[in-house]
Each structure stands twice: as C-alpha cells, then as structure tokens.
Amino acid sequence: MLSSISQQLTELKQQGAYRQRRPLSSPQGIEVVIDGKTFLSFCSNDYLGLANDSRVCQAAKEAITNYGVGSGASQLISGYSSLHASLEEQLSEFLGYQRCVLFSSGYLANLGVISAFSSRHGLILEDRLNHASLIDAAKYAGGDLKRYRHRDINHAKDIIYSSQAESRLIVSDGIFSMEGSIAPIEQLYQLKSRKTDKLIIDDAHGIGVLGKHGRGSLEHKNIATSKVDILIGTFGKSFGSSGAFVLGGNDTIDYLIQKARTLIYTTAPPAALAAAAKQSLNIVINEPERRQRLHTNIQYFRKALSETKLELLDSITAIQTIIIGENKQTLQLSKQLEKRGLLVLAIRPPTVPKNTARLRITLSSEHSQQQIDQLVYALLELENSTTSPS
Ligand SMILES: *Cc1c(COP(=O)(O)O)cnc(C)c1O
C-alpha cells in the first residue's frame, strides 16, 4: 500500500535520501556564496568558467537591449529570431552536421528526439547508466526500452540481434554524467545493421571539453560525424548558460521540427540565451587554453588521489567520482567537506544505482592547483579519520 506523502518524506529522511535546494546568493563560479558563507565549489558543470564570463554576460545584455527579454511564442509561431538561426548555423559548422535545431533544455531535447524517431513498439536500446532524461524519453515515446549493462557491447548486441522491431534506436550518453566514463561509440555504430537503425549520442558533458577543438567525444575518439545520426548537446554545461541543441542531416532536423512536441508546444528560448551561447561557442573555439587548463587540473587531481585508497572511477573528463556506497556515509562526508569550506555534493539513488552513493567532484579550467590541493588534503584527512585501524 502506498504510504501517505508525509510518511514517504519521513522515510526519505530516514534513508538519507531526502533532497534539499540551497539558494546561492552569488554568480556561479569557483567560489559561491550560500547563507552568507563562501565555499570553494567542486560541483558545477560550468567546466570552462563561462557561466559568469563578462563577454558572455555582455552578449546577453546586448541581446536584451535589441530583442527584449521574452521570446513571445514557440519557435514555430514567432519566437524564433535571427540570433537563434545564426547560432544553429554556427553549431552545425563547428560540429560538422548539415543542420541544427535548438531546444529549451537538454531534457526537452531528449524527449523530443526519442519520441519523434521511435515508433510505439520500436526498440529503444540504451546504456543502463544513461542520463535520466534519455530513460524518461523512451518511456514518454512509448517504445520498448531495453537497457544493456554499462558500456557492455556484447550485451547490447544480444538485445539488438534478437529484436524484430521495425524501428530501432541506439541511444547513449557520450560521457556518462555520474561516472565520467566514455561511451564505446564506434562499437555502437557497428551494431547498426539496418538502414533505418539510428545511433543517437547525447554529448552534454563532452562538447567543449574533449577533443583538440572541443568538439567532444566524437573528436576525442576520431569518429566521423556521419556515423552518429543525431548528436545532442546542451548549453548548461561547458557553455555556461542554458538550453540545448540537436544536430543531424537536413531531413532529420526538418522532421524533428515537424514532430518534436517538446519543441512545438513550448516557448522558444529567449534570444538573449542564443546570444550568450554564440559568445560561448566563440570562446570554446578561440580559447583552447581553457580546455588545456581543465585537462591539466584533471591530471593533477587524479595523480594526487592515486596514492590513496579512495575508489576514484576511471575518467579523463571533468567528472571525477569517488564511490562511497552507503547514503548516510556519503552525506556525512559531503557535510564534513562543507565544514572545511568545500562544496562537493553527495549523489544518491535514484540518480545512481543502489549502494553506489558517491561524491561527484567536477573540475573546472578555473580551479587553481592550490584550490585542488585544498580538496585533496580534506579528502585525505577524512579518509584517515574514517578508516578504523584493523
Ligand atoms: C545535463 C544533462 C542533460 C539535461 O540537460 P539540461 O539542459 O540540463 O536539461 C541531458 N543529458 C545529459 C547527459 C546531461 O548530463
């Protein structure tokens, strides 16, 4: 029997699974202010420090002067501006696709894409650790969702080869958001055996971060864009703002504009956000030193932790995850870090599988090595104080 809402809330608290939002009173950045206290943040996805970049902010301000704040309507009515159009063109060119369409968020993009291209009983094959929005998208689409073990191509093969479904979508995160691991994109491409099979990659955490030019997981792995039918990215991560984009061939994108309900029935993102994203794209392209600093920081952090017993997952990305296991212990660690002025969030089920609660540390190009040292020392101290002598 379903217990009452208040009972359920009590249970969540007892299980260490209760969640709370905490209002920041500062811009997003390496240092953030909560309740009047300044923290060193290791939990935002603002990997290149663009969320409060003065040029990105200025671009948004100018667009507000010229286009106002509200977009006024959905893209198909009158909410689509020349700034949106020009951003789409620049993204297509940068990432090597024929065409691009913007969405208000990555969550909405994923719902729109999967539901547009799946049929009611079509197979939607997904990595078990795909982002929640991709899982929800399959449910919303009404397709036959099948999940393979994380990056396990043989398992994926078994499922797709035994499927009689007419439409088959292979869907994966490029970089897994809670692990930092990279999808086996080339092998996923090789699973396609019919003309109508589609490979869809959500590279929210790869674009801007990986590859010589910041083109993401495909560039990092040297995979031709022709192998990935649909590539999805967001502005909420390395671009430092908000919104999302979908790339594909002319017909693919044209079809999406006709069919994606999460594009058709929602207000267009404000033109100012398109202006901000255009400026961020400019910086992603023209300031590779940000990416270099980020990767130097990643290596520095991993080396410092390599001599400890902490279970750091394998990752060359900005997402560095330490598996703790139990909810309460993870929360406790997060609180103790907070006491030392460090913001590292405890990620718990249902965001991640049961008994894999974790500290998800995200690094930025803007962290100094001294700031990373601070985190490393705190982690070492906590490790020593929690491992009881045996
Ligand atoms: C963050 C994220 C999303 C959602 O994007 P929003 O723009 O925040 O809605 C989708 N997919 C992945 C892999 C993500 O990490």
Side-chain angles (χ1 to χ4, degrees):
M1 203 174 61
L2 201 64
S3 47
S4 73
I5 287 176
S6 70
Q7 256 176 317
Q8 290 185 51
L9 287 170
T10 308
E11 278 164 24
L12 286 174
K13 284 176 191 164
Q14 284 164 352
Q15 294 157 2
Y18 184 72
R19 299 165 180 226
Q20 271 171 303
R21 301 171 303 163
R22 306 170 66 196
L24 264 65
S25 50
S26 68
Q28 195 55 249
I30 297 303
E31 292 190 321
V32 295
V33 179
I34 300 173
D35 282 339
K37 273 183 255 154
T38 302
F39 292 94
L40 192 51
S41 166
F42 288 96
C43 58
S44 98
N45 301 317
D46 181 24
Y47 304 131
L48 301 178
L50 299 183
N52 190 36
D53 180 276
S54 60
R55 295 160 295 174
V56 177
C57 294
Q58 186 57 32
K61 286 176 196 162
E62 276 170 24
I64 286 178
T65 303
N66 295 325
Y67 290 80
V69 168
S71 64
S74 105
Q75 292 187 40
L76 294 183
I77 310 295
S78 63
Y80 184 69
S81 72
S82 55
L83 284 176
H84 295 101
S86 131
L87 172 60
E88 287 176 349
E89 263 173 45
Q90 287 174 3
L91 284 165
S92 306
E93 191 190 344
F94 174 57
L95 291 160
Y97 279 84
Q98 281 178 343
R99 209 169 156 198
C100 174
V101 60
L102 303 178
F103 281 76
S104 295
S105 78
Y107 190 97
L108 291 173
N110 287 344
L111 254 57
V113 167
I114 308 289
S115 61
F117 290 102
S118 168
S119 60
R120 182 139 280 279
H121 299 290
L123 174 71
I124 304 173
L125 183 62
E126 299 207 19
D127 190 291
R128 212 161 73 188
L129 297 187
N130 271 357
H131 191 263
S133 58
L134 290 170
I135 306 295
D136 293 358
K139 293 178 181 165
Y140 170 67
D144 180 21
L145 171 63
K146 291 264 162 57
R147 298 162 83 173
Y148 54 91
R149 288 184 293 273
H150 185 46
R151 301 169 73 218
D152 185 339
I153 281 294
N154 286 328
H155 190 199
K157 218 180 249 176
D158 288 346
I159 297 172
I160 199 165
Y161 289 172
S162 64
S163 156
Q164 308 298 324
E166 239 170 69
S167 100
R168 308 194 302 189
L169 304 182
I170 303 164
V171 184
S172 177
D173 282 20
I175 305 297
F176 290 85
S177 56
M178 297 298 138
E179 286 69 28
S181 48
I182 304 186
I185 300 173
E186 177 72 34
Q187 290 95 316
L188 289 172
Y189 162 73
Q190 282 164 7
L191 290 182
K192 296 203 316 176
S193 56
R194 295 194 207 137
K195 259 198 152 146
T196 49
D197 291 349
K198 278 196 171 19
L199 175 58
I200 300 173
I201 298 292
D202 172 356
D203 207 19
H205 296 279
I207 294 169
V209 170
L210 287 185
K212 183 159 178 272
H213 302 93
R215 295 191 182 113
S217 303
L218 300 191
E219 185 182 25
H220 171 72
K221 294 206 156 195
N222 207 7
I223 294 169
T225 54
S226 57
K227 292 184 174 175
V228 174
D229 301 284
I230 299 176
L231 182 68
I232 300 161
T234 67
F235 301 124
K237 311 278 157 65
S238 68
F239 279 61
S241 56
S242 166
F245 54 95
V246 178
L247 295 144
N250 280 327
D251 281 356
T252 299
I253 300 303
D254 202 18
Y255 184 76
L256 205 49
I257 292 167
Q258 316 309 313
K259 297 286 180 185
R261 298 172 66 85
T262 57
L263 166 82
I264 300 169
Y265 298 107
T266 196
T267 302
L273 275 179
K278 271 163 65 76
Q279 183 58 53
S280 292
L281 177 59
N282 224 336
I283 295 171
V284 164
I285 293 170
N286 293 311
E287 296 181 7
E289 59 272 21
R290 283 177 187 266
R291 243 179 326 280
Q292 277 153 20
R293 284 204 302 274
L294 173 60
H295 289 288
T296 304
N297 280 346
I298 294 167
Q299 282 159 19
Y300 183 79
F301 174 75
R302 290 191 67 84
K303 183 153 192 302
L305 277 203
S306 65
E307 285 140 41
T308 72
K309 289 201 205 77
L310 293 167
E311 197 186 334
L312 186 62
L313 295 185
D314 224 8
S315 159
I316 59 157
T317 73
I319 302 162
Q320 298 292 324
T321 297
I322 300 173
I323 301 281
I324 308 296
E326 213 254 325
N327 279 359
K328 283 185 183 155
Q329 195 192 350
T330 314
L331 267 185
Q332 188 66 24
L333 280 169
S334 171
K335 285 211 182 100
Q336 283 167 330
L337 288 169
E338 196 180 313
K339 275 193 199 140
R340 290 164 169 80
L342 301 161
L343 218 54
V344 175
L345 278 241
I347 308 283
R348 292 157 285 163
T351 305
V352 293
K354 262 192 178 167
N355 301 317
T356 70
R358 60 196 67 190
L359 295 174
R360 177 181 184 264
I361 293 157
T362 47
L363 296 170
S364 154
S365 60
E366 305 313 290
H367 284 118
S368 68
Q369 294 200 338
Q370 199 187 358
Q371 288 167 330
I372 296 174
D373 285 342
Q374 245 178 287
L375 173 64
V376 171
Y377 291 142
L379 286 168
L380 290 183
E381 223 176 83
L382 292 175
E383 186 201 16
N384 291 332
S385 67
T386 51
T387 42
S388 47
S390 49

